[in-house]
Amino acid sequence: TFPTAADGRLLLIDALRMAFRELRPRCQELLTQLFREPRPAYRDISATLGMKIGSIGPSRERCLSELRRCPALAVLIEADGTREARRP
């Protein structure tokens, strides 16, 4: 049988979970806060994680970049040929 879109989604979800577990705990905490529903305000994230509000955005970018470089996810990004895979 041929892979379906659902198969691809499941593969991506598994890869994201594996990659997330490879992140530093601080990145895991920050990304968990940022992608909660409903999304908390930066001031709440700042208080919860003990970080300055102005450092949340730059830290988020570093953590997402680190996530993209995790082997489990990097393989999928490269296979997809997305622009994200080529970011420094």
Side-chain angles (χ1 to χ4, degrees):
T1 61
F2 293 101
T4 65
D7 293 334
R9 244 178 277 122
L10 290 175
L11 183 63
L12 178 59
I13 289 168
D14 285 345
L16 278 168
R17 284 186 178 136
M18 287 173 36
F20 187 81
R21 286 191 296 263
E22 293 177 25
L23 291 175
R24 295 173 286 127
R26 189 68 172 167
C27 280
Q28 290 180 10
E29 294 169 357
L30 177 60
L31 293 178
T32 297
Q33 289 294 315
L34 288 167
F35 291 101
R36 283 180 34 205
E37 290 291 332
R39 183 178 294 179
Y42 269 30
R43 71 176 176 280
D44 297 329
I45 294 171
S46 171
T48 299
L49 298 181
M51 62 191 307
K52 295 180 181 178
I53 290 175
S55 69
I56 292 173
S59 295
R60 178 196 64 218
E61 287 304 313
R62 284 190 295 276
C63 290
L64 289 174
S65 180
E66 188 176 318
L67 185 68
R68 284 193 231 31
R69 288 190 306 269
C70 288
L73 197 54
V75 169
L76 291 178
I77 292 171
E78 288 294 328
D80 186 40
T82 64
R83 184 169 38 115
E84 296 298 322
R86 289 179 236 123
R87 285 178 97 176

